[in-house]
Amino acid sequence: MSRVDIRTTSVQGECKLMCPENEIRLREREGLLHPFEILQATAENPRRPKADRSKMVKEYSRPAAGRTEPKPNQLRPSNVLIQTAHYLINSILTKTDVHWSHVYDFVFDRLRAVRQDMVIQQIGGLDAIILLEICVRFHILAGYKLCKESISVFDPKINATHTQECLKRLLTLYSFEDRPCAHRTEFESLYLLYNLGNTEAMMHTLSLPHDIRCSRCVQQSFKFTQLYLEKNYVRLFRQTKVMSGLELCAAHRHLLHVQSQAIQTMCVAYSSKSLKYPLGKLTVLLGFNCDAEVCSGYEKWGLNIKDGMVCFQKDKLKPQDKDEVMQFKFIDSKLKEQSLQDLITSQHQKIVDGKSIAEER
């Protein structure tokens, strides 16, 4: 993470709406309104529906050769960007009348446009930190909630790329701040868990200031990483009991691999026709949702299950399917402890009279 000057501002946005006027007129004229942006009274109109200006949010525009730089009236200043991000989380992400994948597509695109405006204006400091914290939480949560969807609905690699970009830029911003940042330890922890076992992530953690490195959540995530590298899978799953819902979502993409590696290790260590292991205990130790889940995958792991007992067979081991995904009940339970708004937008960030402020850190 190189130290570049990200505090200077080359252009200052002047747009006070979530979507510039010229874009509203264009998309209304061309019939490019998203269902979330349509004026409800005109939604059933056989003719082209009208835009609800209070719900219009600027689309992401892909940079192209020959395209002129956006004008100040097409760029939203930092306070409007934060207002927009909060609107997306509080009013769109919480929708229950449509599939969450449709909500994800809309919020993903609009938050990407928020980041684009932020980069063009070279916004830094606390405002940029607030925006990126929201983006990181959103992408990590989406990576878990939509992991079982087909590639045509949700692309985990694209989501992971944006997660990494937001995380790394956020950690760089933290390093420039002279004041303590209330949520820095949380995101240093998420970075370590999302990149579980990665040498670069571990070296970054070890290079942090003493107070950050020795904080409870960073130490907890570092211990989780050590258990992963030591292949102490039983203690690793025990450690999940003290982790937050978002931390579990960050580590989630590695957990199925951990389960598979644990089963393979036991197949080699306890391979015997006369040795039996209680199925219920195996389910609890390795975080499976239920006994039936272990039974459904016994063939791929080389397990012989009968009368609630497991017989490990190393000669029947098969390679793990890298594309296989699953959700965990213990993660779902943790996520239910908080609303989506509280999970993604932090309580110390507020919008007052259209300006972003942060409580004293």
Side-chain angles (χ1 to χ4, degrees):
M1 299 178 189
S2 60
R3 287 182 170 268
V4 293
D5 187 4
I6 55 179
R7 297 190 178 207
T8 58
T9 303
S10 59
V11 59
Q12 180 65 48
E14 298 174 357
C15 178
K16 302 302 181 183
L17 301 174
M18 294 191 294
C19 185
E21 280 287 350
N22 63 331
E23 182 179 322
I24 294 176
R25 292 193 297 268
L26 173 66
R27 291 210 277 130
E28 188 177 59
R29 184 176 67 249
E30 300 296 330
L32 300 175
L33 299 177
H34 192 279
F36 296 157
E37 301 171 319
I38 292 174
L39 190 65
Q40 197 60 37
T42 67
E44 302 300 327
N45 195 317
R47 303 183 67 182
R48 198 160 287 158
K50 298 293 183 181
D52 185 337
R53 277 172 158 67
S54 66
K55 297 179 180 179
M56 290 290 296
V57 185
K58 183 179 180 180
E59 281 186 324
Y60 173 73
S61 176
R62 190 176 298 277
R67 179 174 292 178
T68 58
E69 289 293 322
K71 299 175 182 178
N73 65 358
Q74 296 174 314
L75 296 172
R76 298 159 292 179
S78 59
N79 63 301
V80 178
L81 292 176
I82 294 174
Q83 280 182 314
T84 302
H86 277 256
Y87 166 76
L88 292 170
I89 302 306
N90 297 328
S91 299
I92 302 298
L93 204 65
T94 54
K95 285 183 176 292
T96 57
D97 56 341
V98 293
H99 193 276
W100 211 78
S101 62
H102 298 307
V103 172
Y104 167 80
D105 288 339
F106 182 81
V107 176
F108 171 85
D109 179 84
R110 278 20 178 209
L111 280 180
R112 194 176 184 186
V114 165
R115 287 160 47 206
Q116 187 178 49
D117 278 13
M118 185 185 78
V119 170
I120 292 172
Q121 297 175 81
Q122 297 184 19
I123 295 172
L126 292 180
D127 286 340
I129 285 173
I130 289 172
L131 290 169
L132 288 171
E133 285 179 348
I134 290 173
C135 291
V136 168
R137 289 184 179 124
F138 164 72
H139 284 295
I140 288 177
L141 178 65
Y144 175 74
K145 286 181 71 71
L146 297 174
C147 68
K148 297 178 73 174
E149 298 293 336
S150 65
I151 193 69
S152 62
V153 175
F154 173 74
D155 191 328
K157 291 185 179 179
I158 290 177
N159 188 73
T161 298
H162 285 272
T163 305
Q164 296 282 27
E165 288 178 359
C166 291
L167 263 173
K168 290 182 178 181
R169 184 167 181 82
L170 176 60
L171 300 190
T172 301
L173 285 168
Y174 284 143
S175 69
F176 284 110
E177 280 300 311
D178 299 325
R179 292 176 292 174
C181 298
H183 297 284
R184 181 175 182 179
T185 55
E186 174 193 349
F187 286 92
E188 295 287 0
S189 172
L190 291 176
Y191 177 65
L192 192 56
L193 292 170
Y194 198 76
N195 297 281
L196 190 63
N198 181 273
T199 303
E200 182 183 346
M202 293 185 69
M203 292 301 294
H204 168 76
T205 301
L206 292 172
S207 68
L208 291 171
H210 181 268
D211 59 326
I212 303 296
R213 187 176 70 252
C214 295
S215 64
R216 184 193 62 82
C217 62
V218 172
Q219 282 291 300
Q220 186 175 281
S221 295
F222 198 82
K223 180 181 178 181
F224 191 86
T225 302
Q226 287 180 308
L227 293 173
Y228 173 77
L229 294 174
E230 293 167 1
K231 299 186 178 182
N232 193 336
Y233 304 126
V234 173
R235 286 191 63 190
L236 183 145
F237 274 101
R238 287 176 184 164
Q239 184 75 9
T240 61
K241 296 178 181 179
V242 296
M243 294 166 65
S244 70
L246 207 61
E247 287 175 333
L248 290 173
C249 287
H252 163 256
R253 63 183 189 149
H254 306 284
L255 294 184
L256 195 62
H257 172 71
V258 171
Q259 280 185 336
S260 178
Q261 289 297 306
I263 291 292
Q264 290 184 44
T265 300
M266 295 178 80
C267 279
V268 173
Y270 305 126
S271 182
S272 171
K273 292 181 180 180
S274 60
L275 191 152
K276 306 291 191 242
Y277 196 90
L279 175 61
K281 187 172 183 178
L282 181 66
T283 301
V284 173
L285 286 179
L286 299 183
F288 288 100
N289 293 324
C290 58
D291 292 354
E293 198 171 79
V294 184
C295 294
S296 67
Y298 76 95
E299 288 185 347
K300 66 183 176 186
W301 282 316
L303 303 180
N304 182 13
I305 301 174
K306 185 177 181 181
D307 298 328
M309 303 299 287
V310 180
C311 181
F312 296 101
Q313 299 172 298
K314 67 178 181 181
D315 57 324
K316 292 186 178 181
L317 278 174
K318 297 179 181 179
Q320 179 197 9
D321 182 0
K322 294 183 179 180
D323 295 327
E324 186 179 3
V325 292
M326 64 175 284
Q327 293 177 320
F328 294 84
K329 288 184 178 178
F330 66 88
I331 299 181
D332 295 335
S333 298
K334 283 280 187 177
L335 292 177
K336 289 178 182 177
E337 294 175 3
Q338 285 182 287
S339 66
L340 284 177
Q341 298 100 309
D342 291 339
L343 193 67
I344 296 180
T345 58
S346 53
Q347 294 300 313
H348 76 286
Q349 294 162 3
K350 302 175 182 178
I351 303 297
V352 178
D353 295 330
K355 295 183 179 180
S356 65
I357 63 172
E359 291 182 357
E360 186 176 350
R361 299 190 175 196

